[in-house]
Amino acid sequence: MKAPRNKRLMGKRNPRRNRQRFGGFFLFILVGIFLLFVFRFSYIVVSGHANDENLTKKASALYQSSSVLRAKRGTIYDASGTPIAEDTTTYSIYAVLDKNYTGINDKKLYVTDKAKVAKVLSQYLPLDRATILRRLNPANSKTFQVEFGTAGSGLSLTIKQAIEKADLKGVYFTETPARLYPNGIFASHQIGLANAKTTTTANTTTSNLKGIMGLEKTLNSTLTGTNGVKKVEKDSYGYQLPNTKAKEKAAKNGKDVYLTLDSRLQTYLETLMSSVQTKYQPEQLNAVLMNPKTGQILAASQRPTFNPETGSGLGNFWRDTLVGDAYEPGSVMKAFTLAAAIDSGKYQPNSTYQSGQVTVGGTTVHDWNNTGWGTIPLSKAFPLSSNVGFVHIEETMGKDKWLSYLNKFQFMSKTKSLLSGEVSGSIQYEHTSDQAVTSFGQGINVTMMQMMQGFSAIANDGKEMQPQIVSKVTDPATGKTTKYKPKQVATPIKKSTAKQVLAAMEDVTYKDYGTGGAYKIPGYKIATKTGTAQISNANGGGYMTGDSNYIFSVVGMAPASNPKYVLYITMKQPQKMTDPATEILAQIFNPLMKRALDYDAGTTATESKATMPNVTGQSVSAATAALKKQNLTTVQIGTGNTVVQQMPLANEVILDDQRALILTNGAMTMPDVTGWSKSDVLKLAELTGKKITIKGTGYATKQSLAAKGLLNSAQSITVTLSKP
């Protein structure tokens, strides 16, 4: 029993052997760790990865600088090659206040002289010196930097360079790609908008322009280019390594788009539309001028509208109402009913009927004057715009035949004119009464462009042309051009039918009982059709009542014998209907159609019209002299000596009674608006960004903020108008 115990005691008394065992075990652990380290190191060297991270890329990023070469977005041009929308760069200003922001040798990179900064910036921003000083002295002393809101953003290169010349410490700029719309209000909803969209990757932040409405949106992929990249090898201090070359992949610019719009006619249309909008205040106002031979849109506009250069007026109204709103067109639809009846051989012009009212399918239809004109031939139904007469025409033609012609004219189908947000329209055609009222434009919903497409068949010998606003696309890199050729979409009626409808439309203008006498233009024969459409109640309970609760319209074709132009105008619910609807619409129709016809005849050389010169960036004295040469009245807004904004914008047509407003650097001041029209006061509000309440009608007689008062200090401004 003692031998084993002695053996254990011997083991404990042999420390050398224990140390050898422990040393061997420890050596084994060290070798294992070493082999593991060698294996791990070899893996990292071979694979370039550690902990799921690419070490090669990380090391490269430390010694390689990569910058984006931004591609230029394509330019949108009018028919003559004048830019409508083009790329530019704007700048936003900010000031660094943190005193820890220093450079090499502790160079101060923050604002050191706040008084000087405030003085200089007040000369170029629409902020006074006191407001800027408050921004430079924030309540939180730990604020790193401050910005200046909208007043300090969207600055032009001219303003940026002027501020930089003052050598202000701690004042910096950020650069943002922007879209320049030099014409201001110019088919704004049709052209659309492109805004900067910022994307961030692991190494870079890039801002690119993206179309968000109108043609800028539908043609975004065409207009958008592909960014390039420039890579440079650098040392730990950020300098390019010697004997290395920058690697560059060039940017590919977007393609340029040319439209069919004629700037001369488009600008004139905008002026006429604004005048009617200001005077009569309709809920909506639309107009389109088209060449029916090609379908090319020469001018198009809508109200409400907005200025894409300033964003003024945009609000929440983003719809292009020329394609995005479906409405009941009213009596202008009778042109298509008459065409269908003639073309199908069902028109009996010498048949007589009792006008005034007729009951069909349990519904009583009245003529627009309620009493009618007694017993008259169907040939008078069109120039008199008799609803009862067209119910008889539809009944004679038959519901199936009439519906087939509506489909032939491509109603209830999109025109695919490239304008954004287009709807198809609809028809209510189940009951006999529904079928009857479509003959005079109720119970069917159409778009402006569908109507224009249909009108082209009447004006173009029965050949219906797709509305076209894009003429060609050009790739500036290759010079390759893709042309958009005129496209005939249907032949709904015969040539002889079209001629008969045109003759009937002449009667509307020139017969003493016709409804279109207001649209006569001396020296030209005009074929017209007027319309007054009821508006459905929002709750679906019948139609609205009241003298102004209609969609008033006119379509005209000229010259009537062989139309080169079709002009269609609609006006919804004028709030101040102080004149008959035909006289209101004539204020747009007659001058625009005459100008188009005069251009075609080459008789406009003697016309005199003033255009707004570009005075932005000029001194006040130079700008005033330039405007005086154009016989324009200059109104200065601001205490500075340099023009930073102007209204109207450069190249806009100026009517004789318009004022030219120039906003200067320095504090914004209120001008004396005595004698100003409502339109002028609205321009002042748009230019300054201030809310101005207008009371009364006529011309300005009172203003709540005195002339030369600071606009920035005024919470609200009221201008009172009075009739002379």
Side-chain angles (χ1 to χ4, degrees):
M1 296 296 294
K2 292 181 179 179
R5 181 173 179 273
N6 292 337
K7 194 173 184 179
R8 286 196 299 272
L9 290 172
M10 289 176 66
K12 288 181 179 180
R13 294 171 183 171
N14 195 350
R16 182 179 180 184
R17 181 179 298 176
N18 291 339
R19 286 195 298 270
Q20 287 177 341
R21 289 178 179 177
F22 178 77
F25 177 75
F26 185 69
L27 179 62
F28 176 79
I29 295 298
L30 288 176
V31 171
I33 292 173
F34 177 74
L35 291 175
L36 183 62
F37 174 78
V38 170
F39 175 77
R40 177 65 172 168
F41 181 76
S42 300
Y43 171 78
I44 291 173
V45 170
V46 174
S47 68
H49 286 76
N51 297 327
D52 295 326
E53 291 195 41
N54 191 320
L55 299 181
T56 303
K57 288 185 177 180
K58 277 204 161 190
S60 178
L62 290 173
Y63 299 101
Q64 188 178 79
S65 173
S66 178
S67 58
V68 174
L69 303 177
R70 194 173 68 84
K72 178 185 175 185
R73 186 176 177 85
T75 301
I76 300 177
Y77 296 95
D78 73 352
S80 65
T82 301
I84 298 173
E86 56 186 327
D87 265 16
T88 187
T89 301
T90 60
Y91 302 89
S92 297
I93 191 170
Y94 66 96
V96 175
L97 305 178
D98 192 337
K99 293 183 179 180
N100 294 318
Y101 190 57
T102 57
I104 299 175
N105 297 325
D106 293 327
K107 181 181 179 181
K108 297 176 181 178
L109 301 178
Y110 55 87
V111 174
T112 57
D113 191 342
K114 294 180 180 180
K116 179 183 178 182
V117 170
K119 178 181 178 181
V120 172
L121 294 189
S122 67
Q123 297 174 4
Y124 297 99
L125 305 183
L127 296 173
D128 57 44
R129 192 181 307 186
T131 301
I132 295 174
L133 274 174
R134 284 196 296 271
R135 294 281 182 93
L136 296 174
N137 292 282
N140 185 355
S141 59
K142 295 183 179 180
T143 300
F144 180 78
Q145 69 181 49
V146 293
E147 299 173 356
F148 299 91
T150 56
S153 62
L155 304 179
S156 67
L157 177 62
T158 302
I159 297 299
K160 173 180 178 287
Q161 291 174 337
I163 293 173
E164 286 177 331
K165 285 182 181 179
D167 192 25
L168 302 176
K169 284 187 178 181
V171 174
Y172 304 96
F173 296 86
T174 57
E175 179 180 304
T176 305
R179 201 67 163 157
L180 176 65
Y181 299 93
N183 296 319
I185 296 174
F186 186 95
S188 300
H189 280 86
Q190 290 70 53
I191 303 301
L193 280 175
N195 284 349
K197 181 182 180 182
T198 301
T199 55
T200 303
T201 62
N203 298 321
T204 59
T205 298
T206 308
S207 290
N208 291 307
L209 292 168
K210 182 178 180 181
I212 58 174
M213 66 181 293
L215 291 170
E216 291 272 29
K217 179 179 180 180
T218 56
L219 298 176
N220 187 64
S221 59
T222 300
L223 293 163
T224 301
T226 303
N227 288 338
V229 64
K230 182 178 181 180
K231 295 182 179 180
V232 177
E233 300 292 333
K234 62 181 182 179
D235 59 20
S236 58
Y237 294 99
Y239 297 103
Q240 183 174 343
L241 293 172
N243 301 319
T244 62
K245 290 184 179 181
K247 297 179 181 179
E248 184 175 313
K249 180 182 178 182
K252 183 180 180 182
N253 293 332
K255 297 177 182 177
D256 297 328
V257 174
Y258 289 79
L259 305 184
T260 61
L261 297 179
D262 184 322
S263 284
R264 302 170 303 173
L265 297 172
Q266 181 67 42
T267 302
Y268 193 42
L269 173 60
E270 299 291 2
T271 301
L272 297 169
M273 295 274 282
S274 293
S275 177
V276 168
Q277 175 71 20
T278 299
K279 188 173 182 181
Y280 301 103
Q281 299 179 20
E283 290 293 318
Q284 288 187 21
L285 185 65
N286 298 320
V288 180
L289 178 68
M290 183 177 74
N291 177 347
K293 308 298 182 185
T294 62
Q296 291 184 338
I297 304 300
L298 306 176
S301 188
Q302 69 181 66
R303 295 293 183 276
T305 189
F306 68 99
N307 187 329
E309 186 65 15
T310 64
S312 176
L314 181 58
N316 296 320
F317 198 92
W318 286 51
R319 292 193 320 279
D320 179 350
T321 54
L322 305 186
V323 292
D325 279 12
Y327 60 96
E328 294 179 89
S331 291
V332 288
M333 195 73 186
K334 291 170 183 172
F336 300 110
T337 313
L338 180 62
I342 293 172
D343 203 69
S344 62
K346 301 295 184 180
Y347 182 50
Q348 300 172 359
N350 297 321
S351 298
T352 60
Y353 71 99
Q354 179 63 40
S355 63
Q357 67 179 48
V358 63
T359 299
V360 56
T363 299
T364 300
V365 174
H366 296 271
D367 279 320
W368 57 268
N369 66 352
N370 290 319
T371 58
W373 305 269
T375 300
I376 58 174
L378 280 176
S379 60
K380 284 191 172 183
F382 190 74
L384 285 169
S385 200
S386 170
N387 294 340
V388 174
F390 272 80
V391 169
H392 289 301
I393 290 173
E394 185 274 331
E395 287 179 329
T396 302
M397 185 168 31
K399 63 181 179 67
D400 293 334
K401 181 63 68 176
W402 171 223
L403 181 61
S404 71
Y405 273 92
L406 287 172
N407 289 322
K408 285 180 181 180
F409 276 110
Q410 309 294 304
F411 291 112
M412 287 79 71
S413 298
K414 295 181 181 180
T415 64
K416 299 179 181 178
S417 59
L418 294 180
L419 297 176
S420 63
E422 185 171 22
V423 298
S424 300
S426 60
I427 190 171
Q428 189 173 327
Y429 211 72
E430 182 179 353
H431 303 292
T432 303
S433 58
D434 297 333
Q435 298 150 15
V437 299
T438 57
S439 68
F440 54 86
Q442 302 284 170
I444 180 171
N445 289 287
V446 300
T447 66
M448 284 282 290
M449 282 303 169
Q450 285 176 338
M451 294 293 281
M452 293 303 296
Q453 184 169 269
F455 289 141
S456 70
I458 296 173
N460 189 33
D461 296 333
K463 292 176 285 187
E464 185 167 296
M465 307 302 293
Q466 180 186 53
Q468 179 186 351
I469 197 167
V470 177
S471 62
K472 64 181 179 180
V473 173
T474 301
D475 188 337
T478 63
K480 181 180 178 181
T481 297
T482 302
K483 293 185 177 181
Y484 287 69
K485 296 180 179 179
K487 182 179 179 181
Q488 182 179 342
V489 295
T491 310
I493 55 176
K494 297 184 286 290
K495 179 179 179 179
S496 60
T497 299
K499 293 297 183 185
Q500 290 182 66
V501 176
L502 277 171
M505 292 176 70
E506 275 194 72
D507 289 346
V508 174
T509 311
Y510 297 102
K511 292 292 186 182
D512 56 5
Y513 51 82
T515 60
Y519 305 106
K520 295 175 183 176
I521 299 176
Y524 299 102
K525 278 286 186 180
I526 313 296
T528 63
K529 183 67 192 82
T530 60
T532 304
Q534 293 177 291
I535 302 172
S536 298
N537 280 313
N539 57 13
Y543 291 98
M544 298 178 70
T545 59
D547 292 340
S548 65
N549 285 327
Y550 294 92
I551 295 177
F552 303 99
S553 61
V554 62
V555 60
M557 304 177 185
S561 59
N562 184 24
K564 295 182 179 180
Y565 301 100
V566 174
L567 176 57
Y568 180 39
I569 307 171
T570 66
M571 176 179 65
K572 181 179 180 181
Q573 294 174 289
Q575 300 303 294
K576 293 188 177 181
M577 196 170 174
T578 53
D579 293 307
T582 53
E583 293 183 17
I584 297 174
L585 295 179
Q587 293 177 37
I588 299 173
F589 182 94
N590 293 24
L592 182 63
M593 181 65 89
K594 184 179 186 302
R595 179 159 292 189
L597 292 166
D598 285 349
Y599 280 146
D600 189 63
T603 60
T604 58
T606 59
E607 284 189 356
S608 62
K609 60 178 182 179
T611 57
M612 183 70 175
N614 184 6
V615 296
T616 300
Q618 295 183 16
S619 67
V620 170
S621 58
T624 302
L627 295 173
K628 187 176 181 180
K629 288 182 180 179
Q630 296 290 340
N631 296 317
L632 302 175
T633 301
T634 305
V635 178
Q636 180 179 342
I637 304 163
T639 59
N641 53 16
T642 302
V643 179
V644 295
Q645 289 186 54
Q646 64 184 70
M647 181 69 67
L649 297 176
N651 301 319
E652 281 193 29
V653 174
I654 304 294
L655 298 183
D656 292 339
D657 60 348
Q658 282 186 298
R659 290 175 172 81
L661 312 183
I662 56 173
L663 178 65
T664 71
N665 51 8
M668 287 193 295
T669 53
M670 182 72 179
D672 183 355
V673 299
T674 302
W676 286 29
S677 66
K678 180 179 180 180
S679 177
D680 289 331
V681 177
L682 290 174
K683 285 183 173 64
L684 174 65
E686 180 179 345
L687 184 65
T688 61
K690 295 297 179 182
K691 182 179 180 181
I692 300 179
T693 302
I694 300 174
K695 294 183 177 181
T697 58
Y699 297 91
T701 55
K702 295 181 181 179
Q703 56 192 84
S704 63
L705 179 63
K708 297 184 180 180
L710 289 177
L711 282 164
N712 291 313
S713 63
Q715 297 298 319
S716 63
I717 303 167
T718 300
V719 174
T720 303
L721 310 181
S722 299
K723 291 185 177 180

